[in-house]
Amino acid sequence: MKTTSLAVAAALSFAAAGASASPIDLTYMGTTASNPKNVKVTTTSTTPDVTVTGGAYGFRMREDASDPLTEFLAWCLDIESTLGTGSAYEYEITTSPFSNSHGLDAGQLGRVADVFDANYGTLDDTDGIQAAGFQVALWNALYDTDTDAGNGAFKVLSAAAGIVTQANAYLTAAAGYTGGKQFNLTFYESTETNPKRQNLVSATPVPLPAAGFLLLGGLGGLVALRRRKRAA
């Protein structure tokens, strides 16, 4: 997984735990994908139904467009609006996404989290097929309950070869995931109204517990001891 300015995203995630939400301005800076893909998708989970063609990849977003250190990688959780490029748009970090659109209930939140926990650690977001498959899997987790992005309440109508297969692999891994929480998710809700912009999510690795650091330190000591014995 390649992510940009994890420290910034982690700081924003920490800010989400605050008592009140403060608006932040986010600017789209492009994508990490070297060969970004477009897909045509549709969902019957909304009223009315939505069918769109757009980019399926991670978004490089900055809180300060002139400062690369404020950049982080975000993903779309909303096909009902457009992202908005060429300018800064106002968002709020929220712990109860998304009151301004389709919304996320407990089941949707769980499926989205599983897609991240099961797959994000090995995702290469610079690869167009992997990035598109991951984005499609997130949409499917939001708008559907199955593991087939080619059928159901949400489905891909047209896409480059390999994208649906990749998305289905991510969804299958998420459905069977039994591990612990691997990533903290931060949700960005658009406060724009004319028009509303896409709602976003970013992820940062769950910090290793202190016991984990002690274990790694112990293993490192064993390795060093073995090397010294071999040298002797």
Side-chain angles (χ1 to χ4, degrees), residues 107-133:
Q108 293 167 317
L109 282 169
R111 292 194 298 274
V112 167
D114 285 342
V115 171
F116 274 99
D117 287 336
N119 303 291
Y120 205 48
T122 57
L123 173 71
D124 181 359
D125 55 63
T126 67
D127 182 88
I129 298 298
Q130 289 190 41

Side-chain angles (χ1 to χ4, degrees), residues 20-184:
S20 60
S22 299
I24 56 174
D25 291 329
L26 297 180
T27 304
Y28 172 70
M29 304 302 297
T31 175
T32 59
S34 58
N35 51 345
K37 306 297 184 183
N38 290 336
V39 299
K40 183 177 182 180
V41 299
T42 187
T43 181
T44 58
S45 295
T46 58
T47 304
D49 299 352
V50 177
T51 300
V52 297
T53 299
Y57 38 74
F59 301 142
R60 292 170 43 231
M61 306 298 295
R62 288 186 188 176
E63 188 172 356
D64 181 346
S66 64
D67 186 357
L69 294 179
T70 67
E71 186 170 300
F72 62 98
L73 186 62
W75 300 84
C76 171
L77 277 184
D78 178 356
I79 65 170
E80 301 160 70
S81 304
T82 57
L83 177 65
T85 59
S87 182
Y89 293 93
E90 188 176 278
Y91 282 82
E92 282 184 351
I93 295 176
T94 177
T95 56
S96 55
F98 289 113
S99 61
N100 64 353
S101 64
H102 186 67
L104 283 101
D105 60 28
Q108 293 167 317
L109 282 169
R111 292 194 298 274
V112 167
D114 285 342
V115 171
F116 274 99
D117 287 336
N119 303 291
Y120 205 48
T122 57
L123 173 71
D124 181 359
D125 55 63
T126 67
D127 182 88
I129 298 298
Q130 289 190 41
F134 189 78
Q135 179 60 82
V136 167
L138 288 177
W139 285 331
N140 194 93
L142 171 63
Y143 294 104
D144 208 343
T145 59
D146 64 11
T147 58
D148 186 354
N151 290 287
F154 169 89
K155 59 184 176 182
V156 175
L157 298 179
S158 62
I163 291 178
V164 172
T165 299
Q166 183 68 78
N168 289 348
Y170 291 145
L171 289 167
T172 299
Y177 183 71
T178 58
K181 183 179 181 181
Q182 302 298 314
F183 292 92
N184 289 318

Side-chain angles (χ1 to χ4, degrees), residues 1-17:
M1 176 189 64
K2 295 180 169 64
T3 52
T4 308
S5 288
L6 284 179
V8 173
L12 292 174
S13 180
F14 178 78

